[in-house]
Amino acid sequence: MNMVDISRKRYTTKHYDKSKKIPADQIEALCTILQNSPSSVNTQPWHFVIVGSDAGRDKILPAIPDFNHPRVQDSSHTVVMCVRDNIDEAYMQHLVDQEDKDGRFQTAEDKQRQSEALHFFVNVKSPTPKDQYEWMCKQVYIALGNLLFAAAGMGIDSTAIEGFDSAKIDEILGLKEKGLKSVVVATLGYRAENDSNAKRPKSRLPQDEIFTFL
Ligand SMILES: Cc1cc2nc3c(=O)[nH]c(=O)nc-3n(C[C@H](O)[C@H](O)[C@H](O)COP(=O)(O)O)c2cc1C
């Protein structure tokens, strides 16, 4: 399938076939796609909780409102996408050290320059904790987009879910203690035969309304 066809054919799955599970190697592939998602100044301010067991699903279900239950209960996997508490000095050092380890710098000066750029952008883009939280959330949503599109390309159906109780899921998963906060959820699996949404035509605003070409 080409990219345009994938974009036309992917859709939000409302009902999954509970008997169909995503093979482990494809979950691994989707994890790599999440890991490789781009983020501003490579801040990667995220963590992903992958729920693939019935016990895990039952555990998080109290944080999912009734209307979204089938997307979680019957899907194969649920990804709880989280942001960090903050991007502090220790984390910035950690990021630059990782880039160093991954061979991104020729010299110590290169590393220093990257560290300065990182500090500069973090300060500019997130002068307050609220700004920083919103900035980090944007990066997580880029990862969400990658996940949904890649899954579709692999023949895996998905649902992005904002309809959940973030405070509750944080409590259930002990995210606060881990310095994390849930932002958005995605479920993955295979559509049920009777998934009503599968047959609905896609609806989007026309291109002449959403694009300007200069
Ligand atoms: C960030 C985000 C949150 C969403 N939250 C929910 C949700 O909680 N439950 C649900 O059934 N669909 C949810 N959706 C699905 C949207 O309603 C859907 O993407 C939109 O109507 C376009 O339809 P399509 O994805 O089938 O093309 C969400 C989508 C996005 C991108």
Side-chain angles (χ1 to χ4, degrees):
M1 230 189 320
N2 72 33
M3 300 294 174
V4 179
D5 286 342
I6 294 169
S7 82
R8 287 203 179 101
K9 290 198 172 137
R10 76 137 287 286
Y11 76 100
T12 294
T13 302
K14 301 288 182 183
H15 293 278
Y16 286 89
D17 181 339
K18 196 174 172 51
S19 70
K20 293 188 182 161
K21 300 294 173 203
I22 302 170
D25 62 327
Q26 296 203 10
I27 290 296
E28 254 178 61
L30 289 171
C31 287
T32 302
I33 284 158
L34 284 172
Q35 181 190 14
N36 284 332
S37 192
S39 57
S40 188
V41 239
N42 209 12
T43 43
Q44 308 162 71
W46 46 49
H47 188 88
F48 308 105
V49 180
I50 315 285
V51 182
S53 65
D54 281 335
R57 270 183 286 278
D58 289 348
K59 200 170 158 179
I60 62 169
L61 218 54
I64 310 291
D66 285 354
F67 76 94
N68 270 332
H69 270 197
R71 310 356 155 203
V72 171
Q73 240 167 356
D74 300 334
S75 62
S76 170
H77 285 72
T78 298
V79 185
V80 181
M81 308 182 79
C82 311
V83 281
R84 298 173 49 81
D85 270 348
N86 57 51
I87 301 174
D88 59 13
E89 200 50 52
Y91 183 63
M92 285 193 270
Q93 187 61 48
H94 177 52
L95 287 170
V96 180
D97 286 345
Q98 182 67 51
E99 294 202 42
D100 196 7
K101 210 160 106 189
D102 288 334
R104 304 265 304 168
F105 310 124
Q106 302 279 321
T107 63
E109 287 72 38
D110 288 349
K111 184 173 179 180
Q112 181 57 28
R113 258 194 302 278
Q114 174 61 12
S115 176
E116 282 165 14
L118 178 60
H119 281 76
F120 175 79
F121 275 101
V122 168
N123 286 332
V124 168
K125 299 304 287 185
S126 55
T128 69
K130 184 171 177 286
D131 290 322
Q132 189 160 94
Y133 170 72
E134 286 167 5
W135 188 47
M136 291 190 292
C137 286
K138 289 176 191 170
Q139 318 308 321
V140 171
Y141 274 80
I142 294 171
L144 171 69
N146 280 349
L147 176 68
L148 301 182
F149 195 75
M154 293 162 64
I156 295 168
D157 294 314
S158 64
T159 313
I161 295 182
E162 278 182 331
F164 73 104
D165 185 335
S166 171
K168 184 107 198 150
I169 218 164
D170 291 0
E171 186 193 318
I172 292 170
L173 296 174
L175 295 178
K176 198 171 183 237
E177 296 72 42
K178 293 178 182 148
L180 299 169
K181 183 165 178 31
S182 60
V183 173
V184 65
V185 168
T187 57
L188 302 161
Y190 302 97
R191 68 190 72 174
E193 250 176 57
N194 63 351
D195 180 24
S196 52
N197 221 21
K199 291 182 189 77
R200 283 201 193 107
K202 205 169 257 310
S203 170
R204 292 294 191 266
L205 296 171
Q207 293 202 357
D208 61 5
E209 194 176 320
I210 65 164
F211 294 109
T212 298
F213 294 94
L214 297 176

